[in-house]
Amino acid sequence: MIDQEVVFTNDISKALGQFAVKIPHDVLYLLFDTETIKYCMPVIADFMNGYDAKHPDSKCKTIIIGNTDAAKNIATLTEVWQTLSDTGASRHSLMINVGGGMLTDLGGFAAATFKRGIKFINVPTTLLGAVDAAVGGKTGVNLGNLKNELGAFAPASAVLISTTMFETLDQENLLSGYAEMLKHGFLSDNETLTELLNYDILHWDKDTLLPMLEKSVNVKRRVVRQDPYEQGLRKALNLGHTFGHAFESWRLSQGKPVLHGYAVAWGLVCELIVSHQVCGFPSALMQQVAAYVRDTYGPVHFTCDDYDALYELMTHDKKNEAGEIYCSLLHDVGSVALNHSLSKEQILTTYDIFRDLMGI
């Protein structure tokens, strides 16, 4: 069973210090990207300044990689492996991955495979990374244009989540992560979803967001504990992603890339539409969420002429089987219907209704 110790704190240096003692190691590696070392190193300065004094028999080294998804590839992975090898890493070394989802995915895979596995800690620095990539035990890199084509299920020894890491995030990246929190709200209960829909995420506060984030992450943890290798229930975490991935890929093909969470927000609306038609999901809540997404994330503009291109992208979704397009739906908040097969007619009708709800 894959599980991870997850700590929610706004004293990240103290938490790092505790786990550096708790996990015996010979060499400590901190993996940053070119942005996180600039913005996040100051946040953990107390830990870094005190490390050598508290660990006289250990060494601390830093590895820096590129900061975009283009760096999530075999070449970067090889660089990390080579640096570990060249600087004396052993099976008893410890890696701390400080970054967003791209970095924790790659760093986790590097650690899981170096000398058949060294221990690692994830410190997500984006809201999306905290609520999604850093937790759940999935690691990986892209192979060409294929996202996460190479990887392994490998849980971190710990995930340390602090909203102080998000203070330099721009509004778009904050909203991108919040869409995944909304998804978890739909998989939870009405009280949690209502709290999320009423929270002013554009004027967030680190102390009020932290307990909400803890509840959201724990939704994913409960699902992963029951289905660590995505054989059944874990597919519920794909809510919003069947339509969402198509929107994300289509916008990229148009030269107008959009952050992952925006596409998921639009995908959630689409899959609530299908849920209403197929599973009886409440119409009033569907319309409320559509209005929230429209006002918060804005609409994605497309016309009838784009339907075939969007549909074609959906046919390539990795969750498909035997030529059928599958997605997770909802009977109601917290009541999931897994593995629903979508017909082309259903999908095109959903596009029509979505555009009406979005006012386009």
Side-chain angles (χ1 to χ4, degrees):
M1 179 182 292
I2 291 179
D3 197 13
Q4 299 161 307
E5 184 168 0
V6 182
V7 174
F8 298 85
T9 177
N10 278 329
D11 191 344
I12 192 69
S13 281
K14 181 179 179 181
L16 281 169
Q18 291 171 339
F19 276 92
V21 171
K22 187 175 182 179
I23 303 173
H25 58 278
D26 52 7
V27 185
L28 177 69
Y29 289 87
L30 287 103
L31 181 67
F32 295 94
D33 65 42
T34 53
E35 290 296 297
T36 57
I37 194 166
K38 180 168 54 176
Y39 292 110
C40 299
M41 179 69 93
V43 182
I44 62 171
D46 288 345
F47 165 70
M48 296 295 292
N49 292 337
Y51 179 82
D52 289 337
K54 294 178 181 177
H55 301 268
D57 297 326
S58 301
K59 299 176 183 178
C60 182
K61 301 180 184 296
T62 297
I63 304 174
I64 304 172
I65 63 173
N67 71 317
T68 67
D69 202 58
K72 190 180 177 181
N73 55 37
I74 295 174
T76 304
L77 181 66
T78 301
E79 290 176 12
V80 175
W81 281 331
Q82 194 66 58
T83 302
L84 291 171
S85 181
D86 291 346
T87 55
S90 76
R91 293 184 68 183
H92 304 290
S93 296
L94 172 65
M95 179 181 287
I96 301 177
N97 301 315
V98 185
M102 179 279 287
L103 186 138
T104 58
D105 275 359
L106 186 146
F109 189 36
T113 50
F114 184 77
K115 294 188 182 293
R116 296 191 177 94
I118 64 173
K119 292 183 178 180
F120 67 97
I121 295 171
N122 285 337
V123 181
T125 60
T126 65
L127 184 55
L128 180 61
V131 78
D132 189 25
V135 178
K138 286 184 178 181
T139 69
V141 297
N142 302 335
L143 180 63
N145 293 323
L146 302 175
K147 291 181 69 65
N148 298 319
E149 188 76 356
L150 306 174
F153 287 97
S157 296
V159 181
L160 309 182
I161 295 177
S162 174
T163 48
T164 58
M165 287 294 192
F166 310 151
E167 292 179 341
T168 56
L169 281 184
D170 59 35
Q171 176 177 303
E172 288 74 20
N173 276 285
L174 193 70
L175 286 175
S176 181
Y178 202 65
E180 292 284 356
M181 291 181 66
L182 288 172
K183 178 196 76 177
H184 289 162
F186 282 107
L187 300 177
S188 185
D189 54 57
N190 281 294
E191 181 182 355
T192 300
L193 180 62
T194 299
E195 180 182 30
L196 288 163
L197 291 172
N198 290 331
Y199 186 71
D200 187 0
I201 186 61
L202 296 182
H203 299 90
W204 67 284
D205 173 84
K206 67 180 182 180
D207 294 320
T208 57
L209 183 59
L210 187 65
M212 293 172 64
L213 180 54
E214 182 172 0
K215 283 198 288 187
S216 185
V217 170
N218 283 337
V219 171
K220 179 171 184 178
R221 293 178 73 201
R222 285 194 295 271
V223 172
V224 171
R225 281 194 202 104
Q226 297 176 66
D227 180 22
Y229 299 109
E230 204 167 31
Q231 300 301 305
L233 181 60
R234 188 165 179 167
K235 294 178 182 178
L237 297 174
N238 291 320
L239 182 69
H241 286 64
T242 300
F243 281 86
H245 281 154
F247 285 133
E248 190 173 5
S249 297
W250 178 72
R251 283 288 296 259
L252 184 63
S253 72
Q254 300 293 304
K256 300 175 182 178
V258 65
L259 292 175
H260 174 72
Y262 279 68
V264 169
W266 300 326
L268 279 171
V269 174
C270 289
E271 290 174 30
L272 292 182
I273 292 168
V274 182
S275 294
H276 170 64
Q277 295 175 325
V278 174
C279 303
F281 186 87
S283 175
L285 183 53
M286 175 195 73
Q287 294 184 55
Q288 178 189 355
V289 172
Y292 177 90
V293 170
R294 181 189 65 229
D295 295 342
T296 306
Y297 293 87
V300 54
H301 291 276
F302 62 99
T303 70
C304 298
D305 293 337
D306 301 309
Y307 284 11
D308 284 342
L310 285 164
Y311 175 77
E312 176 65 20
L313 288 167
M314 289 182 69
T315 66
H316 294 285
D317 193 280
K318 65 182 178 182
K319 298 181 294 297
N320 296 344
E321 295 178 17
E324 295 286 328
I325 297 174
Y326 286 91
C327 73
S328 297
L329 302 177
L330 295 171
H331 297 288
D332 206 336
V333 177
S335 178
V336 184
L338 299 174
N339 296 328
H340 180 81
S341 176
L342 297 176
S343 69
K344 184 174 183 178
E345 181 181 4
Q346 280 179 310
I347 292 169
L348 299 187
T349 298
T350 300
Y351 291 153
D352 284 336
I353 298 172
F354 175 83
R355 290 175 64 221
D356 285 342
L357 290 172
M358 292 291 107
I360 55 177

